[in-house]
Each structure stands twice: as structure tokens, then as C-alpha cells.
Amino acid sequence: MADETRRGRGTNDEDHPAGLDPYTEFHDFDLPAWVGSTSFQKLPHVTDGEALRAHRPDVAIVGAPFDEASSHRPGSRFGPRAIRAATYHAGSVNSLQLGIQPFEWIDVVDAGDAPVVPVNVDRAHAVIRRKVLEVAQAGAIPIVLGGDHSITFPSASAVAEAVAPRRLGIVHFDAHADTANSTWGVLNSHGTPMRRLIESGAVAGANFVQVGLRGYWPPPETLEWMRHNGLRTHFMTEIEERGAEAVIADAIAEALDGPELIYLSVDIDVVDPGMAPGTGTPEPGGMLSRELLRAIRQVVGAVELVGMDVVEVSPPYDVSEITAAVAHRCVMEAISALAAKRRDAGLPARPSGRWAT
Ligand code: MN
Ligand code: MN
């Protein structure tokens, strides 16, 4: 079709033909990042569950723009749009880290946002759970853009439901454990989702692995609950002493001690506030952004990933869009690692954006 023949003619074109009609010469996918579609990387926008089930993309981006379970600085409701916008590339981008053009190998779409409204935590969690379940049941890996970290409870619960009876392990990057029983008496805040996931049976405590914890929270009684329930924790001090790669290798083995599948949850505040200042609860002394990006490649390359979220990006507290850029690259590293796995397994390419929407 005429539209497809224009695809691939963009900034990277080595031999741009002269004399084309400027009104139609570029496909939207190849126009500059700030022109045209506002979907993630200008990928096809497929919000309808039936269309997702018909096409079975490999990955679907989902926005969860909800921040009213935040305990300190709000603003992460604006995270999904900021993460989608935090790119200066369009078209078939090329991962120098993994040597692959990911959108030529796997089919990635943007499934839009869960239809949240403000104020009502229970309603927001219910629609996020339904949206993520719809994507996962369509056979796609949901990559969910938060939102505050409370959204991991509905999101990971939905993935656990979709993959049952196969079981999940969770690898959780964060400065904070997020295992409180309540936050000022509220059970579903951004400080409690990991406890709710374990209590509900979505994941076993022994397969819940936390990386990057530091600072001055949680209190001893919460740490005792974590020990009692078998959670595995890797403090930031351990990364400083052993290096991230060795710690992540242990984290992968612990999360897969029983389960076959992994849900990856990335609170962007695991990165040092100097490199990711726009978060709800900034905690000094964190990972380098390059360490986190490498860790995501390491995890996704080694496991069967069935769901992921990147949360707590709060654009009003961001500086020069640094935090949104790191979060965007977290998503791109996961997509690129999934694409490299498909190629390395000798499976046929399933290019993104090749079908009409
Ligand atoms: Mn968190
Ligand atoms: Mn945190």
C-alpha cells in the first residue's frame, strides 16, 4: 500500500530521492519525533481489546496516569505523556548496546492509557488492572508507564492472572521497599503495593526480589515483616561493594527460584536524584542511569519477561526532562533486549507498525 512504501524514508536515509511531493514523502513513523503521532515512538496506536487480540503484538505500551496514592510529591500522573515524549528519534531506531533495530524484529504498539479519573484510588486501580489484563490476555507483554508505584499492585496482579497457572517472580528496582501495611491507614498507597501483591498470592515472598534500597525507610518492624515473608533484598550498599552485574545475577536466580516468568518493576527513584530528579520521593546515593539500563538488558535478556512497569516519573519536579529520558530508555532497553532474543533464537522478524490501525 502506498503508505507503507513511504515508510523507512527518514533521517537515516542514505540516498534520499529528489523530486518527491513534500506533502506525502514521509510516513508519520519517520517524521521527526515532535511531529504527528504522540504514541510511544510513533508506533501504531491500538487501544481496542479486540484489535489487540486479532493482531497479537509482542509488546504493548500502556499508560497508567494516576498519582493520588502518592505520600509526598505528586505529579506522576503526567509521567506517561512525558515518557512518550522523551525521545529525539523516530523511525527504525538502532540499539548500539545490542546491535539491533528493535522495531524491525518485534511488533510493538501503544495501547493507550487506562481510563483513569482522579481522586478515586479503587476505581483507578480497577481500570488499570482491566487494561493490563486485556493486553496480557491478547498475548502481548504490557509495559506500563506510571503513575505512582501503587499501580504495580493492579498491573502485576493482572499479569499474574493472565499467565496462571504459571507463576511469576518479581524483580523490583527501587530506593524504597514499598512494603508498608498502610500509609496513614490507607492500604493501597504507593508505599504498600509489594505487600498487597504478596498477601494476595499474586507472587510468593521468596520470589520477590528488591534491588537498590537505601535511605531511612522502612522501619524495623516492616523489615521484620519482609524477612518473615522471605523477600530477598539487595541494598544499594551491596551494589557499591559487589557491582551491579553480580547483584543482578543473584536477583534473577532468586526471582526464578520456582517460577518461570518475570515481572519487572522499575521505580525511577532507584537512580540517583542527580540523574533522575523528577520523582515522588527522591533518595540520594542511588544507581547510575547507565547501571540501571545495563541491568534491564541483563534481566530481560536472561528471563521470560511477561510484564514490566516504569513508575514515579513526576515531570513537574523534573529538570530538563532528564528523568523522563531515563524512563524512556528503560523501556527501550527492554524492547531492544526482547528483539535481540527473538533474533538470537532464530525466529522470524515481526516488524512493528506494518499493519493498519
Ligand atoms: Mn516505589
Ligand atoms: Mn521509590
Short mmCIF file of all heavy atoms in Angstrom, two decimals, residues 149 172 174 178 190 267, ligand 1:
data_model
loop_
_atom_site.label_atom_id
_atom_site.label_comp_id
_atom_site.label_asym_id
_atom_site.label_seq_id
_atom_site.Cartn_x
_atom_site.Cartn_y
_atom_site.Cartn_z
N HIS A 149 3.74 4.37 42.28
CA HIS A 149 4.05 2.94 42.34
C HIS A 149 2.86 2.09 42.79
O HIS A 149 2.90 0.86 42.67
CB HIS A 149 5.27 2.68 43.23
CG HIS A 149 6.16 1.60 42.69
ND1 HIS A 149 7.50 1.50 42.97
CD2 HIS A 149 5.89 0.54 41.87
CE1 HIS A 149 8.01 0.45 42.36
NE2 HIS A 149 7.05 -0.16 41.69
N HIS A 172 12.33 -6.01 41.39
CA HIS A 172 11.82 -4.67 41.74
C HIS A 172 12.99 -3.74 42.05
O HIS A 172 13.69 -3.92 43.05
CB HIS A 172 10.88 -4.85 42.97
CG HIS A 172 10.50 -3.58 43.66
ND1 HIS A 172 10.24 -3.53 45.02
CD2 HIS A 172 10.33 -2.32 43.21
CE1 HIS A 172 9.93 -2.29 45.37
NE2 HIS A 172 9.98 -1.54 44.30
N ASP A 174 14.20 -0.12 43.17
CA ASP A 174 13.58 0.97 43.92
C ASP A 174 14.54 1.41 45.02
O ASP A 174 15.33 0.60 45.52
CB ASP A 174 12.26 0.46 44.56
CG ASP A 174 11.25 1.56 44.85
OD1 ASP A 174 11.67 2.67 45.23
OD2 ASP A 174 10.05 1.29 44.72
N ASP A 178 8.51 -0.33 49.58
CA ASP A 178 7.07 -0.27 49.24
C ASP A 178 6.30 -1.44 49.80
O ASP A 178 5.38 -1.98 49.17
CB ASP A 178 6.88 -0.17 47.71
CG ASP A 178 7.42 1.12 47.12
OD1 ASP A 178 7.90 1.99 47.90
OD2 ASP A 178 7.39 1.26 45.89
N HIS A 190 1.19 4.26 47.37
CA HIS A 190 2.41 3.87 46.66
C HIS A 190 3.48 3.33 47.59
O HIS A 190 4.55 2.93 47.12
CB HIS A 190 2.95 5.02 45.78
CG HIS A 190 3.71 6.09 46.51
ND1 HIS A 190 4.65 6.89 45.90
CD2 HIS A 190 3.67 6.48 47.80
CE1 HIS A 190 5.16 7.74 46.78
NE2 HIS A 190 4.58 7.51 47.93
N ASP A 267 11.02 1.50 39.71
CA ASP A 267 10.76 2.82 40.27
C ASP A 267 11.98 3.67 39.89
O ASP A 267 13.11 3.36 40.28
CB ASP A 267 10.60 2.71 41.79
CG ASP A 267 10.24 4.04 42.44
OD1 ASP A 267 10.67 5.09 41.94
OD2 ASP A 267 9.56 4.01 43.49
MN MN B 1 8.39 2.61 44.64
#
